Amino acid sequence: MGKETLTITDNRTGKTYEVPVEHGAIRAIDLRQIRVSDDDFGLLSYDPAFMNTASCKSTITFIDGDKGILRYRGYPIEQLAERSTFLETAYLILHGELPTRPQLEDWIYHITHHTMIHENIKKFMDGFHYDAHPMGILAGTVGALSTFYPDAKNILDPANRQRQIYRLIAKMPTLAAFAYRHSLGMQYAYPDNDLSYGGNFLNMLFKATELKYKPDPVLEKALDVLFILHVDHEQNCSANAMRSVGSSHVDPYSAVAAATAALYGPLHGGANEAVLRMLREIGSKDKVGEFLKKVKAREALLMGFGHRVYKSYDPRAKVIRQTAEQVFTVTGRNPLLDIALELERIALEDDFFVNRRLYPNVDFYSGIIYQAMQFPVDIYPVLFAIGRTPGWLAQWQEMLTDSEQKICRPRQLYIGSAERDYVPIEKRK
Ligand code: SDX
């Protein structure tokens, strides 16, 4: 292998330039030296939707899209899903190492004792319509948390960041559950510190008149695995929003609100909700062929399929499919699963999908489990947000502590009007 450099010849001037290659990339700023005249700004790289642009160096998550590999801090997702817990994985993703027992106990203690929210939050939670989408409520209320913790602005103080990290991981389920109870017109069920993270979330969602809610251990475990699978996914749309908004040095609650808004979109975290609606619209296995004809005619997307990075089976979808079988032993088999399996069977053999390397992603099967667990469809993206919060915070913290990072402010290629004079309204055509 030759030198780790790129030699660029600018045919406009005949000049050649040598730029270093590091980690398989060149620095876009090294292109600025390539000019056609002294007053030329210099060459820019143009990359709409960042299809081929690395925005940062990261040690958090590794994905190999061709091989279907996903690792958090080097640990394969399959091992973490099988042997870890969501809070332990959250610790790993934020601190870079698996916790010792005392570290894990301290971590769980702090998160468990930050699950309550200020009573005033209930007042504006009650202000939403009964049918307000819980993602809209979540984005609004997590952003509002910034007003309850003004010290969160001290984002460069590690101890302060840690306090906000405890609060955000702990309070997202409470906000989510309160939003759900509001939509039902039910009184809020408060956190129960005797329960696990997932068990307490189920308690705040589903507790009725019993004195103490007892979560089903199979569902509690399944929820914990689903949260693990959603913890982080390198520079996805919502992580990019977290980093970009956080780069202005705003508090983490406002940055998480922005990330939540990005996740809400149907092309991102909103896809799990869209998958369920799609399966319901198809209605039965024998209608799958007809629906796929619409997809191939570009009249519909096959929601839960395709991925910017994975050009093979999303490793998370594999684990979710296995988890589904465990959940169905408790809830009974979800008939929508048969439609999903038929969709997958046909799509994986059909050239339209094979040629575009479209495979099931994390959202294809998660909705089927959530539905079997009696979660309402519109809360699915909220479950994604709860699982992803530690990842957003890890990306945010890595950005803040990276000496190469500063406020995100991309350039543009201006192709609009040249200078022109104002035209009085009477002279306009
Ligand atoms: C998540 O980035 C992450 O890591 C996200 C995520 C995470 O953990 O954070 O993994 C979570 O968001 C998973 C993705 C959930 N979204 C969906 O399931 C929505 C359906 N999927 C598509 O919208 C799409 O596949 C994306 C948005 C996921 C990826 O889109 P890309 O990479 O921009 O690909 P593309 O739109 O350029 O598609 C390439 C081709 C196109 O066909 P051509 O125009 O080239 O002929 O594939 C087609 C697309 O039309 N295509 C689909 C399709 N996805 C892509 N056709 C039908 N159904 C689909 N789902």
Side-chain angles (χ1 to χ4, degrees):
M1 173 92 101
K3 279 197 299 181
E4 289 286 310
T5 62
L6 206 59
T7 301
I8 302 168
T9 298
D10 183 349
N11 294 318
R12 300 171 299 176
T13 62
K15 287 183 186 168
T16 59
Y17 305 83
E18 192 163 353
V19 296
V21 174
E22 186 197 23
H23 302 296
I26 63 166
R27 286 176 174 274
I29 200 71
D30 286 346
L31 298 174
R32 284 278 291 280
Q33 61 183 308
I34 301 174
R35 305 160 184 265
V36 293
S37 63
D38 290 344
D39 63 355
D40 179 5
F41 179 79
L43 213 56
L44 282 175
S45 64
Y46 173 54
D47 188 12
F50 311 126
M51 295 289 280
N52 192 47
T53 293
S55 61
C56 64
K57 290 176 182 171
S58 182
T59 61
I60 299 170
T61 293
F62 173 75
I63 301 175
D64 181 319
D66 290 326
K67 299 193 183 96
I69 291 172
L70 169 57
R71 299 185 198 127
Y72 295 157
R73 300 286 188 181
Y75 294 95
I77 190 71
E78 296 81 0
Q79 291 185 30
L80 292 170
E82 187 187 341
R83 303 169 63 184
S84 185
T85 64
F86 170 66
L87 286 186
E88 181 181 77
T89 302
Y91 183 98
L92 167 68
I93 212 87
L94 276 152
H95 297 85
E97 297 298 335
L98 287 168
T100 59
R101 191 175 299 281
Q103 287 170 332
L104 182 58
E105 285 167 0
D106 178 66
W107 173 250
I108 291 173
Y109 175 86
H110 280 99
I111 288 173
T112 302
H113 292 84
H114 277 86
T115 50
M116 299 292 272
I117 55 177
H118 193 290
E119 284 291 294
N120 282 4
I121 289 175
K122 290 179 3 184
K123 291 180 187 145
F124 57 78
M125 184 81 77
D126 291 342
F128 288 99
H129 281 191
Y130 77 94
D131 58 353
H133 196 291
M135 277 299 267
I137 297 177
L138 184 64
T141 46
V142 72
L145 279 183
S146 65
T147 65
F148 290 83
Y149 306 108
D151 65 325
K153 289 185 171 63
N154 306 323
I155 46 110
L156 300 178
D157 169 10
N160 189 294
R161 286 202 302 266
Q162 183 76 313
R163 212 164 32 253
Q164 314 315 327
I165 286 170
Y166 289 143
R167 286 172 171 152
L168 273 157
I169 294 174
K171 296 178 196 302
M172 287 293 266
T174 310
L175 295 175
F178 277 33
Y180 170 64
R181 300 285 281 209
H182 169 70
S183 72
L184 298 178
M186 285 180 74
Q187 85 282 17
Y188 299 120
Y190 280 73
D192 177 345
N193 290 350
D194 298 337
L195 297 174
S196 72
Y197 189 84
N200 178 44
F201 182 50
L202 292 171
N203 156 59
M204 294 188 290
L205 286 169
F206 300 128
K207 184 174 183 297
T209 56
E210 66 272 40
L211 288 177
K212 196 159 180 70
Y213 180 82
K214 288 188 178 42
D216 180 295
V218 173
L219 302 186
E220 188 176 3
K221 171 66 179 161
L223 191 58
D224 204 60
V225 169
L226 283 158
F227 282 155
I228 289 172
L229 296 172
H230 285 84
V231 163
D232 191 61
H233 214 239
E234 55 137 283
Q235 303 313 312
N236 57 85
C237 181
S238 53
N240 183 60
M242 184 78 190
R243 280 178 171 259
S244 177
V245 170
S247 75
S248 72
H249 284 191
V250 75
D251 68 272
Y253 301 93
S254 304
V256 167
T260 304
L263 189 72
Y264 192 0
L267 296 187
H268 191 12
N272 55 20
E273 176 184 351
V275 167
L276 243 290
R277 298 186 195 283
M278 172 187 76
L279 294 175
R280 282 179 175 158
E281 181 200 329
I282 294 169
S284 62
K285 272 175 71 170
D286 59 339
K287 298 276 187 10
V288 164
E290 183 188 324
F291 177 76
L292 288 177
K293 280 200 188 89
K294 282 171 63 179
V295 172
K296 296 196 289 190
R298 308 319 177 92
E299 292 160 14
L301 279 179
L302 179 50
M303 299 312 277
F305 258 65
H307 200 277
R308 175 64 54 78
V309 176
Y310 289 126
K311 298 309 173 189
S312 62
Y313 213 98
D314 185 329
R316 299 168 295 178
K318 277 187 196 144
V319 178
I320 291 176
R321 259 187 75 173
Q322 292 155 10
T323 307
E325 295 305 341
Q326 292 152 21
V327 167
F328 295 155
T329 60
V330 173
T331 63
R333 190 172 174 76
N334 186 334
L336 294 178
L337 178 68
D338 296 327
I339 301 174
L341 291 170
E342 181 67 1
L343 263 177
E344 178 188 291
R345 184 188 68 77
I346 298 176
L348 294 186
E349 293 166 356
D350 185 300
D351 284 348
F352 178 90
F353 301 96
V354 172
N355 296 342
R356 291 169 176 79
R357 301 181 74 184
L358 301 178
Y359 293 87
N361 59 48
V362 67
D363 293 310
F364 189 64
Y365 285 108
S366 53
I368 293 167
I369 296 184
Y370 293 148
Q371 196 219 25
M373 293 173 75
Q374 307 296 317
F375 289 118
V377 175
D378 56 8
I379 207 170
Y380 297 177
V382 172
L383 301 175
F384 195 142
I386 292 169
R388 186 53 54 90
T389 295
W392 287 336
L393 292 165
Q395 298 286 346
W396 167 71
Q397 188 149 248
E398 186 174 68
M399 175 272 299
L400 287 176
T401 53
D402 179 343
S403 58
E404 287 195 309
Q405 293 292 342
K406 51 199 326 187
I407 188 165
C408 291
R409 201 266 182 237
R411 313 298 303 217
Q412 64 168 17
L413 305 183
Y414 180 71
I415 55 170
S417 303
E419 185 177 3
R420 51 184 173 163
D421 294 327
Y422 183 80
V423 180
I425 193 161
E426 59 276 5
K427 292 190 174 166
R428 293 172 204 162
K429 297 181 181 60

